[in-house]
Amino acid sequence: MADLRVLVVGCGNMGASHAAAYHSLEGVEICGLVARGDSRRRLNALLGGGYPEYGDFTEALAASRPDAVCLTTWPDTHEAYALAALAAGCHLFIEKPLATTVAGAERVIAAARAAGRQLVVGYILRHHPSWQQFVELARGLGKPLVMRMNLNQQSHGQMWDVHRNLMQSLSPMVDCGVHYLDVMCQMTQAEPISVSAIGARLSEELPTGMYNYGQLQVRFADGSVGWYEAGWGPMISETAFFVKDVIGPKGAISIVARHTAAGASDNVDAHTRTESLRIHHAALDENNQFVRPDRWIDCQDEPDHLALCLSEQRYFLQAIQGGLDLGRHWQDALNSLRVVLAADEAVRSQRTVMLGR
């Protein structure tokens, strides 16, 4: 018998990747695939067939009696499904964002703590060795830091369908922004204190009040500042669609995807790829010339998207079997969510939002 029986809820891009990871992990058994449409059947066939399929989450939870739930559904379902899974005594892996409100995220964390269950949020960049190195190098630049990041996606075809569905509940600045605000919080190791933001609705296909381009500016208690920009849609420019840059008193560290082809901005694999790190040293000699040239680190043999999902699931398994203390993980998830939701409020209210607790 398997050590861990997992119910996979949501069979789209992320659900399929996590299911493939479970399928390959020794001691883990998929006890069901849940989706409302045909995606569960396509995924089942891709995995070789034989897994139970369900069209309803509540029914699947009762029938399959899983040890753990992997939740990769639309963000507006996360809180309710997470609370149901935890109430059923399941450990929970949940794709970001944890919920669509800070209060909702706090309810999910409180439920996990009360149930004594493990809760892991899918911050995939935390499992990427090059992004880990990026964060570590940034911490050596001194304070304050200036962090510049974006992820603009010229989405079309199926990805535009995915993005339109996501924008029924969340803007791209919120949905993608939690990853990069999490990176900023790791770099500064300081509390975010205020957020300003702008946004624009560039398509009549969006719900009233939703915007598909946004940019936020965040201030941290240590004097560090950062901006994050995200846009989705067929009209989005691919010029400078991928900026990952941090500046400090001692120099700068940049992720430079030198070989990423144009036309790939909505490719999920491209979003975690680093290719190269460029290290710039600010030190000058008596003639105001740089003491050291820029150094390049070529990131060879980078893990692909599936390998990163496998790493996430190994961590989830380790958290369950080893009883890891995930309190810091939960607080980090709350911090990044708090910033992007405050940015969303700033867009809608056209004012700076203070982040006092």
Side-chain angles (χ1 to χ4, degrees):
M1 178 173 292
D3 298 324
L4 191 74
R5 301 175 68 255
V6 182
L7 180 68
V8 177
V9 187
C11 298
N13 289 333
M14 294 307 301
S17 295
H18 290 308
Y22 293 131
H23 182 75
S24 68
L25 278 173
E26 186 177 349
V28 177
E29 175 190 343
I30 298 173
C31 62
L33 301 172
V34 186
R36 288 192 291 254
D38 290 336
S39 59
R40 67 180 187 271
R41 285 184 277 275
R42 292 194 297 270
L43 177 56
N44 210 350
L46 187 66
L47 296 175
Y51 290 124
E53 296 179 13
Y54 302 93
D56 178 79
F57 170 63
T58 303
E59 174 194 343
L61 192 60
S64 64
R65 300 175 64 86
D67 302 309
V69 168
C70 174
L71 186 56
T72 67
T73 51
W74 300 117
D76 56 358
T77 66
H78 283 193
E79 180 185 350
Y81 284 8
L83 292 175
L86 292 165
C90 301
H91 299 287
L92 181 63
F93 179 92
I94 184 170
E95 266 303 325
K96 55 77 189 169
L98 184 52
T100 56
T101 65
V102 172
E106 290 174 334
R107 284 189 287 269
V108 173
I109 290 171
R113 184 175 284 115
R117 301 289 89 181
Q118 294 292 52
L119 166 65
V120 171
V121 186
Y123 283 110
I124 196 168
L125 297 180
R126 286 184 168 227
H127 298 266
H128 196 301
S130 298
W131 280 85
Q132 291 167 350
Q133 189 175 21
F134 182 44
V135 169
E136 190 61 31
L137 288 168
R139 289 175 179 169
L141 294 176
K143 292 290 187 74
L145 295 175
V146 175
M147 296 160 290
R148 311 188 302 166
M149 300 188 189
N150 74 0
L151 182 59
N152 288 307
Q153 299 180 56
Q154 193 180 86
S155 52
H156 63 290
Q158 181 188 4
M159 281 309 301
W160 181 226
D161 290 336
V162 170
H163 285 157
R164 280 181 303 191
N165 283 328
L166 282 167
M167 285 186 287
Q168 295 301 309
S169 56
L170 290 179
S171 73
M173 189 170 66
V174 173
D175 182 78
C176 291
V178 289
H179 280 307
Y180 302 103
L181 265 298
D182 182 56
V183 170
M184 291 184 192
C185 288
Q186 289 179 70
M187 287 177 170
T188 63
Q189 299 179 296
E191 288 293 313
I193 58 174
S194 69
V195 185
S196 301
I198 54 174
R201 184 175 184 264
L202 302 175
S203 172
E204 292 300 319
E205 298 181 63
L206 305 184
T208 301
M210 180 53 70
Y211 54 98
N212 63 314
Y213 171 84
Q215 190 211 54
L216 65 83
Q217 305 87 41
V218 58
R219 296 169 60 90
F220 290 84
D222 65 350
S224 296
V225 296
W227 62 254
Y228 174 71
E229 174 190 64
W232 290 341
M235 75 294 293
I236 297 298
S237 170
E238 286 201 324
T239 299
F241 75 87
F242 186 92
V243 175
K244 306 293 183 291
D245 195 33
V246 56
I247 303 165
K250 297 180 182 179
I253 311 292
S254 309
I255 291 177
V256 183
R258 290 188 286 181
H259 308 299
T260 299
S265 63
D266 67 347
N267 183 320
V268 173
D269 267 332
H271 300 168
T272 55
R273 189 175 301 141
T274 57
E275 297 184 10
S276 303
L277 293 173
R278 184 174 187 169
I279 304 172
H280 170 67
H281 302 281
L284 300 173
D285 63 18
E286 63 276 9
N287 297 313
N288 280 342
Q289 300 302 309
F290 289 117
V291 173
R292 287 184 284 178
D294 287 3
R295 180 163 69 96
W296 288 87
I297 300 175
D298 287 326
C299 303
Q300 302 295 326
D301 301 321
E302 287 196 299
D304 61 14
H305 184 72
L306 181 57
L308 289 170
C309 288
L310 185 58
S311 178
E312 285 187 285
Q313 296 309 327
R314 287 196 180 110
Y315 178 72
F316 183 41
L317 193 58
Q318 179 188 4
I320 295 168
Q321 294 175 339
L324 299 184
D325 181 354
L326 296 177
R328 183 70 254 177
H329 176 77
W330 297 345
Q331 188 58 52
D332 289 345
L334 276 175
N335 279 344
S336 58
L337 183 63
R338 183 177 286 110
V339 172
V340 296
L341 289 177
D344 188 67
E345 181 186 342
V347 171
R348 298 176 192 280
S349 65
Q350 299 185 36
R351 66 181 180 86
T352 295
V353 176
M354 305 306 294
L355 290 166
R357 302 193 179 227

